[in-house]
Amino acid sequence: MDFHAALNNILNPPVLFFFLGMGVVFFKSDLRITEGVSKFLSLYLLFSIGFKGGHELFKSPFAEEHLLTLIACMFMACFVPIYSYFIFRAKLDHANSAALAGSFGSISAVTFVTAGAFLHSYGYEYQGFIVAGMALMESPAIVLAVIIDRLGKKKSNGNQNEKIQWKQLLHEAFFSSSVYILIGALIVGYLSGESGWNTTKPFTEDIFKGLLTFFLLDKGIDAARQMRELKKVGFFLVGSALIIMLINVVIAILLTKIIQMPIGDALMFVVLCASASYIAVPAAMKESIPEANPSIYLTVALSIVFPINIIIGIPLYFYILKVITGTV
């Protein structure tokens, strides 16, 4: 691996502020970020990447490669929760296995944003359609997680009356705040074109990295708090998370090679596949699979998968992709 790139990533202000946020908990500082501010920062990041993605779509004609990438996104969004469920079932019950499977099948928008900042620092960019791919990957895993949970309950209890509240589930999956603002901003960015981008650029791009830095400070606090639960999740879940991440990365890299994605798009796709949701999926699981323990799926996604990706994963995936494409 390019240790210079890895070191630069760790010394990047957003990542350093993630560590600073963890220090709030470890050193028992009284620093607090209110829920309202945290929610605003999350929506801002989704709005910004959605709007920028829409603008890039406006500038770039849709090609066959883009369609193949979107198909690959949908494939991973459906495949990951199915196979990962069976890994978790080795030790966990139906509800917790399904919730974890949904978390790994969905994506982390903040990891995506951090990878985009990493790419930009090395002079690479990604195309707007990959943002559409991210939007496509967020919802299917939520629906599949609930279906898997209900099927598991029917099999174990012999209860044929176990029903899925489809209206509520589909509404949560496709119209939750994160999905809605991301897709909405993508559409607005595309329709408003160059004039819309020029108007919003000071808000969507110029202050983007500063607000990302502040958001990662908040996520560092959350991650450190959840780390207290690591003893409860046990070595099995830590090991399972690492194995699933590895499998997802290997499959994603193979797909980027088959489709022949440019390195910028390839990195963003691999990062999406390697990440786990700690915002959209937990919100949906709380309503749809209330038996699942939030301390399990939140801890795995936020305190294991997320830090590994932003600290060492992104530069490692970048290096592997450069080796594969012969650009090292």
Side-chain angles (χ1 to χ4, degrees):
M1 190 173 88
D2 186 347
F3 289 100
H4 179 69
L7 181 62
N8 282 347
N9 183 60
I10 292 173
L11 296 179
N12 203 18
V15 178
L16 288 175
F17 268 82
F18 177 79
F19 291 127
L20 190 66
M22 296 180 74
V24 169
V25 176
F26 296 150
F27 301 122
K28 298 181 180 179
S29 169
D30 62 354
L31 176 62
R32 297 290 182 271
I33 296 176
T34 64
E35 185 178 348
V37 172
S38 179
K39 183 68 174 178
F40 164 75
L41 291 171
S42 175
L43 291 176
Y44 166 79
L45 293 177
L46 291 166
F47 158 75
S48 294
I49 59 178
F51 198 91
K52 182 178 180 181
H55 175 246
E56 292 298 323
L57 283 175
F58 173 79
K59 293 195 304 181
S60 307
F62 197 79
E64 181 183 355
E65 169 213 320
H66 302 162
L67 176 61
L68 292 175
T69 301
L70 294 180
I71 292 172
C73 288
M74 286 297 295
F75 167 75
M76 291 299 287
C78 296
F79 174 66
V80 173
I82 293 172
Y83 92 79
S84 58
Y85 169 78
F86 292 102
I87 292 178
F88 292 124
R89 277 294 286 140
K91 290 279 187 180
L92 300 178
D93 59 18
H94 299 294
N96 284 304
S97 298
L100 276 165
S103 182
F104 275 92
S106 189
I107 53 91
S108 164
V110 181
T111 310
F112 181 90
V113 171
T114 307
F118 174 87
L119 268 180
H120 185 72
S121 68
Y122 280 87
Y124 291 88
E125 296 294 339
Y126 60 89
Q127 299 178 71
F129 75 94
I130 205 72
V131 179
M134 179 176 69
L136 286 174
M137 292 180 78
E138 188 152 30
S139 299
I142 295 174
V143 177
L144 279 171
V146 176
I147 292 174
I148 289 169
D149 174 63
R150 299 300 190 273
L151 291 175
K153 286 177 180 175
K154 282 184 178 182
K155 185 177 179 181
S156 61
N157 301 332
N159 182 6
Q160 299 302 315
N161 295 320
E162 191 73 45
K163 294 181 179 179
I164 300 173
Q165 301 297 325
W166 284 107
K167 184 177 180 180
Q168 177 185 339
L169 174 61
L170 294 176
H171 186 273
E172 182 66 36
F174 294 101
F175 292 98
S176 63
S177 60
S178 57
V179 177
Y180 188 81
I181 192 68
L182 180 65
I183 296 177
L186 184 77
I187 294 171
V188 172
Y190 178 79
L191 294 177
S192 59
E194 202 65 38
S195 61
W197 173 251
N198 291 334
T199 301
T200 60
K201 187 179 177 182
F203 184 66
T204 53
E205 184 165 284
D206 295 349
I207 65 171
F208 179 84
K209 195 166 185 178
L211 290 182
L212 170 62
T213 300
F214 203 74
F215 186 67
L216 283 180
L217 170 70
D218 180 39
K219 291 302 106 181
I221 296 172
D222 289 344
R225 286 174 180 161
Q226 290 298 138
M227 279 182 179
R228 296 171 179 171
E229 303 291 328
L230 282 178
K231 291 181 180 178
K232 296 180 182 179
V233 302
F235 289 110
F236 168 75
L237 280 177
V238 174
S240 298
L242 295 176
I243 289 170
I244 291 170
M245 287 180 69
L246 178 61
I247 293 172
N248 291 349
V249 168
V250 170
I251 295 174
I253 289 174
L254 288 174
L255 288 172
T256 65
K257 182 68 174 176
I258 293 169
I259 299 172
Q260 296 185 329
M261 295 183 202
I263 191 167
D265 298 339
L267 177 64
M268 302 308 281
F269 176 70
V270 172
V271 165
L272 286 174
C273 295
S275 66
S277 171
Y278 56 83
I279 297 177
V281 169
M285 294 303 102
K286 186 177 180 181
E287 298 295 329
S288 301
I289 312 181
E291 303 90 347
N293 186 350
S295 67
I296 293 179
Y297 53 78
L298 265 178
T299 301
V300 171
L302 189 54
S303 296
I304 299 174
V305 180
F306 180 63
I308 289 174
N309 273 322
I310 68 166
I311 296 170
I312 62 172
I314 292 170
L316 177 60
Y317 311 149
F318 183 64
Y319 176 75
I320 293 172
L321 288 167
K322 288 182 73 176
V323 170
I324 290 173
T325 56
T327 56
V328 174

